[in-house]
Amino acid sequence: MSPSTPASAPASCVLHPSARIGAGVAFGEFCVIGANVSLGDGCRIGHHVVIHADTVVGANVRIDDHASLGKLPMRAANSATTKEQELPPLTLGELCIVGTGVVLYRGAAIDGKVLMADLCTVRENVTVGRGTIVGRGVTIENFCTVGRYCKLESECYLCAYSTLEDRVFVAPGVVTSNDNFVGRTQERFKHFKGVTVKKGGRIGAGSVTLPGITIHEDGLVAAGSTVTRDVPARTIVVGGPARAWRAVPVEQLLENQGWVDA
Amino acid sequence: MSPSTPASAPASCVLHPSARIGAGVAFGEFCVIGANVSLGDGCRIGHHVVIHADTVVGANVRIDDHASLGKLPMRAANSATTKEQELPPLTLGELCIVGTGVVLYRGAAIDGKVLMADLCTVRENVTVGRGTIVGRGVTIENFCTVGRYCKLESECYLCAYSTLEDRVFVAPGVVTSNDNFVGRTQERFKHFKGVTVKKGGRIGAGSVTLPGITIHEDGLVAAGSTVTRDVPARTIVVGGPARAWRAVPVEQLLENQGWVDA
Amino acid sequence: MSPSTPASAPASCVLHPSARIGAGVAFGEFCVIGANVSLGDGCRIGHHVVIHADTVVGANVRIDDHASLGKLPMRAANSATTKEQELPPLTLGELCIVGTGVVLYRGAAIDGKVLMADLCTVRENVTVGRGTIVGRGVTIENFCTVGRYCKLESECYLCAYSTLEDRVFVAPGVVTSNDNFVGRTQERFKHFKGVTVKKGGRIGAGSVTLPGITIHEDGLVAAGSTVTRDVPARTIVVGGPARAWRAVPVEQLLENQGWVDA
């Protein structure tokens, strides 16, 4: 990375003198770049983008208008899962795309080639693997692990303490949950557990998963289902509550897609 | 509150001369503060924040990037519930937290210690009680009353003409509705009614409530349910359509939480 | 339209010299107006609004804070439906209202008197007919056709390759889908098909439609349903999977509303 070249930014931008700006970075108007931010070569930054202190952005990342990166968590006295802590800086790998109005928290670690579409949010203490797509309006709450080459389609909701392995597909409007006590008892804090989706598992549009559900390898939840028990590998479940229906068609199994990492 | 001290704001901010800025208020870059706005002592304002005319913000409120406060309603010829009217200014109590990209309307009255997470919206003619959490992406439509110490979790939707009493819990992705005529007939305008949730009532993740439903004290809707009739007190309902299943466990009753107002 | 009058904008705005600004246009602070943008007479632009190159905005359009218009699509290697292409400029007809934080893509064509509420998104290769309401947080994905005088209520999700004819009503939180193969097989690309709703069709709150469903004239999906087969004209379907329940009440039929185009 070349030394800071604030000369490349419009006069309307506010770049902290300690920010390290790579070669060929293009800025829109009215951007705010905080202390110790590092932007890799060739990044393209939109208008009104805010990048908070210490954020590390890899090379050739596109960040669209009104995105806010590296935000510090908001603490509320009666929030169940956000604790005081020292968070590491937000990191984004190379070739990521960050949509308009996206909010990324300090304490998230996002690998290369991740697409974060407009108005999505990634909270603190989250990792997102290479090549994953985080759809429009998606929420990834804190303490989640998302694997490589996953697709989280528009408006799905990944609750805190969830784990998605590689090549997981979450369809639009899916809602997950993590609290069997629905906000009551002290006991509940010991049991928070979101959804776990093993490699190649899929959740259909508008489905709801109860707390602590595991969807095993290549398991599939049909659209509109309510999942109250674990989903066996290579099995389609359907309904409310969801019941085993039939095997996943062979041609849909992950091993038969011929996909290679990119 | 001390007299206006625009000297404390960055040169990039546009503060109306009539705005009253409390002691120790910190501004980010490119903020726009309208006429007659009042900001209490110790507020922390992010970047690109807009506060429209007449808004009153209490002391020690945090407002994050790209939030827009005090917005005037948008009128459409064929909107069913927004009427021409004089709205009182937006008010926020002390110690509120306003997330990134939040939109708050003129005509909302928000009590102290309310957390409004990123990208939520609170419309006009709404009151929100002390200590309530309005989650990420939540919509509170117009003509709603929300009590104290409620939790409206991420992405839930509170339709117009809804009432939540104190300590109500609405899980992620809940959808409420208020129009039994589904957008048809002139008759419908007389009957709009959202959900009413009595003290300590709870609605599980991804559930849907039909228009005019009442959930009585400590009633609980299980996740993924469709609620077509009122929910009795201290009763769990489940399914589509939701049926009474069993009593709420004693240890989950509101009276057994030992919660005190903060 | 009068010649460009940048004098009418605050000094904080960045207007490209080639932008054509109509008579009486009012700008908020920190707006960015790109090359060859055309704004009709009497437009009212909020603060921090971005209008990208070539966008054509009709007369008397209101655009609220932090909206971003004319955005170029984001391409990802593993996205299924976004192809490289030349997109025509975004166009908005007269008297539209664009809410706070709205994102409109280059390649959308939006007719007059359309209300796009806060935080909604309209993607490329979409047309929206006159007088339609696009609610708060709504997503209209690419390759959709939306007719005149439709209502897409808050937080509903219209997937790619969907068609809504005139006077269609989509209630809050509706989720549609278009991929029967749930993200697997090459075969799926030939079969993507969203929802088709014929004139006057209605979808109730929180319902889910499977790929390729057609809802015929004046058909109605009850709230909370999962629609797995086509909905006959003038018929109410309900449940998961949705079954025919009864005829739509005569007084709710579109022909009995006395509505005229405005």
Side-chain angles (χ1 to χ4, degrees):
Chain A
M1 188 173 299
S2 60
S4 180
T5 58
S8 68
S12 71
C13 291
V14 178
L15 278 66
H16 194 279
S18 64
R20 292 179 300 279
I21 312 295
V25 172
F27 289 93
E29 305 285 346
F30 306 118
C31 293
V32 181
I33 310 296
N36 301 311
V37 166
S38 173
L39 292 177
D41 294 348
C43 287
R44 291 167 295 156
I45 315 295
H47 304 294
H48 301 108
V49 169
V50 177
I51 307 183
H52 289 275
D54 307 323
T55 299
V56 178
V57 178
N60 299 306
V61 169
R62 169 179 167 179
I63 303 175
D64 284 352
D65 306 338
H66 302 124
S68 185
L69 278 65
K71 166 183 175 137
L72 284 170
M74 305 172 294
R75 291 176 186 88
N78 48 348
S79 168
T81 61
T82 305
K83 291 169 189 156
E84 295 274 339
Q85 57 184 314
E86 273 298 321
L87 291 167
L90 169 68
T91 58
L92 275 78
E94 57 166 10
L95 294 165
C96 283
I97 301 177
V98 179
T100 306
V102 165
V103 184
L104 306 178
Y105 280 64
R106 187 182 179 106
I110 295 166
D111 208 342
K113 290 197 173 179
V114 172
L115 168 60
M116 288 150 279
D118 304 338
L119 298 164
C120 77
T121 298
V122 180
R123 294 272 308 268
E124 70 275 16
N125 296 303
V126 166
T127 59
V128 179
R130 186 177 180 82
T132 281
I133 295 177
V134 182
R136 188 271 184 203
V138 167
T139 309
I140 303 179
E141 296 279 18
N142 46 345
F143 299 107
C144 283
T145 302
V146 176
R148 295 153 51 102
Y149 307 102
C150 293
K151 287 193 182 182
L152 284 70
E153 299 263 325
S154 300
E155 298 294 312
C156 73
Y157 175 73
L158 195 61
C159 65
Y161 303 106
S162 292
T163 300
L164 308 185
E165 294 187 358
D166 292 351
R167 303 274 185 198
V168 162
F169 183 99
V170 184
V174 167
V175 175
T176 60
S177 61
N178 61 15
D179 177 11
N180 265 315
F181 299 78
V182 198
R184 297 281 168 83
T185 78
Q186 280 295 316
E187 181 76 6
R188 78 183 187 282
F189 294 109
K190 304 179 195 165
H191 301 284
F192 276 135
K193 191 169 177 205
V195 71
T196 301
V197 188
K198 299 287 189 179
K199 191 173 179 182
R202 296 179 287 167
I203 309 179
S207 294
V208 177
T209 66
L210 267 69
I213 292 293
T214 296
I215 296 167
H216 289 279
E217 286 77 359
D218 259 327
L220 171 58
V221 176
S225 300
T226 300
V227 186
T228 62
R229 57 182 71 178
D230 290 354
V231 176
R234 302 180 169 218
T235 302
I236 305 179
V237 302
V238 63
R243 307 290 188 197
W245 177 42
R246 62 184 181 98
V248 171
V250 170
E251 68 273 15
Q252 290 186 26
L253 294 175
L254 183 55
E255 66 190 29
N256 296 326
Q257 302 309 305
W259 286 339
V260 290
D261 295 354
Chain B
M1 189 174 298
S2 61
S4 180
T5 58
S8 69
S12 71
C13 290
V14 178
L15 278 65
H16 194 280
S18 64
R20 293 179 299 280
I21 311 296
V25 172
F27 289 93
E29 306 285 346
F30 306 118
C31 292
V32 182
I33 310 296
N36 300 312
V37 166
S38 173
L39 291 178
D41 295 347
C43 287
R44 290 167 296 157
I45 315 296
H47 305 295
H48 301 108
V49 168
V50 177
I51 307 184
H52 289 275
D54 307 324
T55 299
V56 178
V57 178
N60 300 306
V61 169
R62 170 179 166 178
I63 303 175
D64 285 351
D65 305 338
H66 302 122
S68 184
L69 278 64
K71 164 181 177 139
L72 284 170
M74 305 172 295
R75 291 177 186 86
N78 47 349
S79 168
T81 61
T82 305
K83 290 171 190 153
E84 295 274 341
Q85 57 184 314
E86 275 297 321
L87 290 166
L90 168 67
T91 58
L92 274 78
E94 56 165 11
L95 294 164
C96 283
I97 301 176
V98 179
T100 305
V102 164
V103 184
L104 306 178
Y105 280 65
R106 187 181 179 106
I110 295 167
D111 208 342
K113 290 197 172 178
V114 172
L115 168 60
M116 288 150 279
D118 304 337
L119 299 163
C120 77
T121 297
V122 180
R123 294 272 308 269
E124 70 276 17
N125 296 303
V126 167
T127 59
V128 179
R130 185 176 181 84
T132 281
I133 295 176
V134 182
R136 188 271 184 203
V138 167
T139 309
I140 302 180
E141 297 279 18
N142 45 345
F143 300 106
C144 284
T145 302
V146 176
R148 297 154 49 102
Y149 308 102
C150 294
K151 288 193 181 182
L152 284 71
E153 298 263 326
S154 300
E155 297 296 313
C156 72
Y157 174 72
L158 196 60
C159 65
Y161 303 105
S162 293
T163 300
L164 308 185
E165 293 188 359
D166 293 350
R167 303 274 185 197
V168 162
F169 183 99
V170 184
V174 166
V175 175
T176 60
S177 62
N178 61 14
D179 176 11
N180 265 317
F181 299 77
V182 198
R184 297 280 168 83
T185 79
Q186 280 296 316
E187 181 76 6
R188 76 181 189 281
F189 294 109
K190 305 179 195 164
H191 300 285
F192 276 135
K193 192 169 177 204
V195 71
T196 301
V197 189
K198 299 288 189 178
K199 190 172 179 182
R202 296 179 287 167
I203 308 179
S207 294
V208 177
T209 66
L210 266 69
I213 292 293
T214 296
I215 296 167
H216 290 278
E217 286 77 0
D218 259 327
L220 172 59
V221 175
S225 300
T226 300
V227 186
T228 62
R229 57 182 70 179
D230 291 353
V231 177
R234 301 179 171 220
T235 302
I236 305 178
V237 301
V238 62
R243 308 288 189 199
W245 177 42
R246 62 183 180 97
V248 171
V250 171
E251 69 273 16
Q252 291 186 25
L253 293 175
L254 183 56
E255 66 190 32
N256 296 327
Q257 302 310 304
W259 287 339
V260 290
D261 294 354
Chain C
M1 189 175 297
S2 60
S4 179
T5 57
S8 68
S12 70
C13 290
V14 178
L15 278 65
H16 194 279
S18 64
R20 294 178 299 279
I21 312 295
V25 172
F27 289 94
E29 306 285 345
F30 306 118
C31 292
V32 181
I33 310 296
N36 300 312
V37 166
S38 173
L39 292 177
D41 294 347
C43 287
R44 292 167 294 157
I45 315 295
H47 305 295
H48 301 107
V49 169
V50 177
I51 307 183
H52 289 275
D54 307 322
T55 299
V56 179
V57 178
N60 299 307
V61 169
R62 168 179 168 179
I63 303 175
D64 284 351
D65 305 337
H66 301 122
S68 184
L69 277 66
K71 164 181 176 139
L72 285 170
M74 306 172 294
R75 289 177 187 88
N78 47 349
S79 168
T81 61
T82 305
K83 292 170 190 154
E84 295 275 341
Q85 57 183 317
E86 274 298 321
L87 291 167
L90 168 68
T91 58
L92 275 78
E94 57 166 8
L95 294 165
C96 283
I97 302 177
V98 180
T100 306
V102 165
V103 184
L104 305 178
Y105 280 65
R106 188 182 178 105
I110 295 166
D111 208 341
K113 290 197 172 179
V114 172
L115 168 60
M116 289 150 279
D118 305 337
L119 298 163
C120 77
T121 298
V122 180
R123 294 272 307 269
E124 70 276 16
N125 296 304
V126 166
T127 59
V128 179
R130 185 175 181 84
T132 282
I133 296 177
V134 182
R136 187 272 185 203
V138 167
T139 309
I140 303 180
E141 297 279 17
N142 45 344
F143 300 106
C144 283
T145 302
V146 176
R148 296 154 50 102
Y149 308 102
C150 294
K151 288 193 181 183
L152 284 71
E153 299 262 324
S154 300
E155 298 295 312
C156 73
Y157 175 73
L158 196 61
C159 65
Y161 303 105
S162 293
T163 300
L164 309 185
E165 293 187 359
D166 293 350
R167 303 274 185 197
V168 162
F169 183 99
V170 185
V174 167
V175 175
T176 60
S177 61
N178 62 13
D179 177 10
N180 265 317
F181 299 78
V182 198
R184 297 280 168 83
T185 79
Q186 280 295 317
E187 181 76 7
R188 78 182 188 281
F189 294 109
K190 305 179 194 166
H191 300 285
F192 275 135
K193 191 167 177 206
V195 72
T196 301
V197 188
K198 300 287 188 180
K199 190 173 179 181
R202 297 179 286 168
I203 309 179
S207 294
V208 177
T209 66
L210 266 68
I213 292 293
T214 296
I215 296 167
H216 289 278
E217 286 77 0
D218 260 327
L220 172 58
V221 176
S225 299
T226 300
V227 185
T228 62
R229 57 182 71 179
D230 290 354
V231 177
R234 301 179 171 221
T235 302
I236 306 178
V237 302
V238 62
R243 307 289 188 199
W245 177 43
R246 62 184 180 95
V248 170
V250 170
E251 69 273 15
Q252 291 186 26
L253 294 175
L254 183 56
E255 66 191 30
N256 296 327
Q257 303 309 304
W259 287 340
V260 290
D261 295 354

